[in-house]
Amino acid sequence: ELKVEQNPLFLSMQEGKNYTIYCNYSTTSDRLYWYRQDPGKSLESLFVLLSNGAVKQEGRLMASLDTKARLSTLHITAAVHDLSATYFCASMNYGGSQGNLIFGKGTKLSVKP
Amino acid sequence: DTEVTQTPKHLVMGMTNKKSLKCEQHMGHRAMYWYKQKAKKPPELMFVYSYEKLSINESVPSRFSPECPNSSLLNLHLHALQPEDSALYLCASSQDLNSYNEQFFGPGTRLTVL
């Protein structure tokens, strides 16, 4: 059974600092998704990583995937308050039930001035 | 049109009521999903429809009844719910069940069961 673990679960950052959120998954998978959720809102798709070594960047966020280590990272550069939200990573069983997206518990990010 | 819409945004119902949640997308997607999200928890998959046929039912109680009338619409019929069913219900869609396709989420329906 696929399990997805994120750490840290809570992250308080100062504006302008850099930090990384880690996402480990337990079984073979070559796809990893990152979503952002603001309080009381829906999930916004940030990145779709579909191969080993994939790296994608959007603004101050950069995501990468290492399928051999079963690890994805979400790196935050020079954080700003607008990045405050909960970030989820998610994966699927390779060859398993298609559509069964398994989420990590989420990382609640708070960026303070 | 690149969004998934859901109605209503908020719903309060008693345990004896029957209500329905609606989801619509006009992106030509052939896979649609219902997720349940409790406060401070990640979303959990409930149902998956592929080409208007139920593909996955994650052992959801029968008081939740999904329906896919056509390729653009997905309903979730609710009957005799319990207070613990209070949650954010999210609808999502993707091009198809190919797992390389990302899922796009609607704004959700905040359900409260009294």
Side-chain angles (χ1 to χ4, degrees), chain A residues 23-91:
Chain A
C23 176
N24 291 92
Y25 51 94
S26 60
T27 64
T28 302
S29 178
D30 60 353
R31 62 218 70 177
L32 198 291
Y33 309 82
W34 284 98
Y35 288 89
R36 167 181 171 150
Q37 187 174 38
D38 292 292
K41 303 292 185 182
S42 187
L43 280 78
E44 174 190 357
S45 178
L46 294 176
F47 301 107
V48 180
L49 304 169
L50 298 176
S51 62
N52 186 40
V55 177
K56 290 193 175 180
Q57 183 163 5
E58 181 72 34
R60 301 176 187 273
L61 301 178
M62 183 173 70
S64 66
L65 178 62
D66 181 343
T67 58
K68 293 181 181 178
R70 299 178 185 171
L71 171 68
S72 179
T73 61
L74 180 66
H75 186 72
I76 303 158
T77 302
V80 293
H81 179 71
D82 285 352
L83 291 179
S84 298
T86 298
Y87 293 84
F88 290 99
C89 65
S91 188

Side-chain angles (χ1 to χ4, degrees), chain B residues 92-108:
Chain B
S93 72
S94 64
Q95 188 171 343
D96 52 37
L97 281 190
N98 184 324
S99 57
Y100 291 98
N101 295 320
E102 65 183 296
Q103 296 181 20
F104 295 89
F105 285 80

Side-chain angles (χ1 to χ4, degrees), chain B:
Chain B
D1 189 348
T2 58
E3 66 173 1
V4 177
T5 60
Q6 290 186 245
T7 56
K9 290 185 178 180
H10 302 275
L11 178 63
V12 179
M13 60 185 292
M15 289 189 285
T16 59
N17 292 156
K18 287 185 180 180
K19 297 287 184 182
S20 296
L21 308 184
K22 296 184 184 299
C23 173
E24 190 167 5
Q25 56 86 15
H26 294 289
M27 295 179 278
H29 289 174
R30 302 313 298 268
M32 297 185 76
Y33 312 78
W34 280 116
Y35 288 85
K36 174 182 178 179
Q37 187 178 23
K38 301 282 281 184
K40 299 183 180 180
K41 299 288 186 182
E44 295 181 343
L45 184 68
M46 300 175 71
F47 302 104
V48 180
Y49 272 83
S50 174
Y51 290 85
E52 296 108 71
K53 292 185 179 179
L54 185 63
S55 175
I56 296 176
N57 176 340
E58 291 290 344
S59 303
V60 179
S62 60
R63 56 186 185 268
F64 294 93
S65 175
E67 178 196 20
C68 190
N70 60 55
S71 60
S72 300
L73 293 174
L74 185 66
N75 298 322
L76 186 63
H77 302 298
L78 314 173
H79 174 55
L81 294 193
Q82 303 297 310
E84 59 264 29
D85 296 322
S86 299
L88 180 67
Y89 287 84
L90 294 164
C91 174
S93 72
S94 64
Q95 188 171 343
D96 52 37
L97 281 190
N98 184 324
S99 57
Y100 291 98
N101 295 320
E102 65 183 296
Q103 296 181 20
F104 295 89
F105 285 80
T109 293
R110 177 77 58 188
L111 174 67
T112 302
V113 182
L114 301 176

Side-chain angles (χ1 to χ4, degrees), chain A residues 6-17:
Chain A
Q6 286 180 241
N7 70 84
L9 298 183
F10 299 93
L11 179 55
S12 181
M13 298 177 63
Q14 280 191 311
E15 281 191 331
K17 298 292 187 181

